[in-house]
Amino acid sequence: MLPRAGLLAVIIALVPLPVAAGDGGMQKKTPTIQVSMERMVARDIAGAPKSSSVARPARQGQGAGSSSGFFKTRPGMVALVVMAAGTGYALYSATHDRIHSAGKQ
């Protein structure tokens, strides 16, 4: 009983050591959210382009009705074929399952 009490006393004595080792008197004042936001806005404004009109890529300039759809392109067609093949295989494997359980019937 005495060794356990001694071990408990040592553990309890060691717990506050990391807190005491901290530099409590030399803490910097952390900036408030308002100050941080002002710094971020100032940095964004400083890095912004000088001209007021920003050139958009040509792809964004097209109207909604004039764009060719994704599924009309070669990668789009490949994606459709893969999805159709996966759906077909899922339906086939569901009906031709080799494991027959009583709960499935």
Side-chain angles (χ1 to χ4, degrees), residues 9-91:
V10 169
I11 291 173
I12 290 174
L14 291 178
V15 169
L17 284 181
V19 175
D23 195 16
M26 297 286 206
Q27 292 181 356
K28 292 183 188 177
K29 182 181 176 194
T30 58
T32 62
I33 293 175
Q34 182 70 29
V35 173
S36 298
M37 288 300 294
E38 288 172 359
R39 286 181 189 167
M40 288 172 44
V41 168
R43 184 175 43 220
D44 289 345
I45 290 173
K50 300 297 179 192
S51 64
S52 61
S53 64
V54 178
R56 290 185 177 179
R59 290 175 50 175
Q60 290 184 359
Q62 296 177 354
S66 66
S67 68
S68 63
F70 169 73
F71 292 113
K72 292 182 181 179
T73 63
R74 182 172 173 82
M77 289 182 187
V78 170
L80 282 175
V81 168
V82 169
M83 286 190 289
T87 303
Y89 180 71
L91 293 173

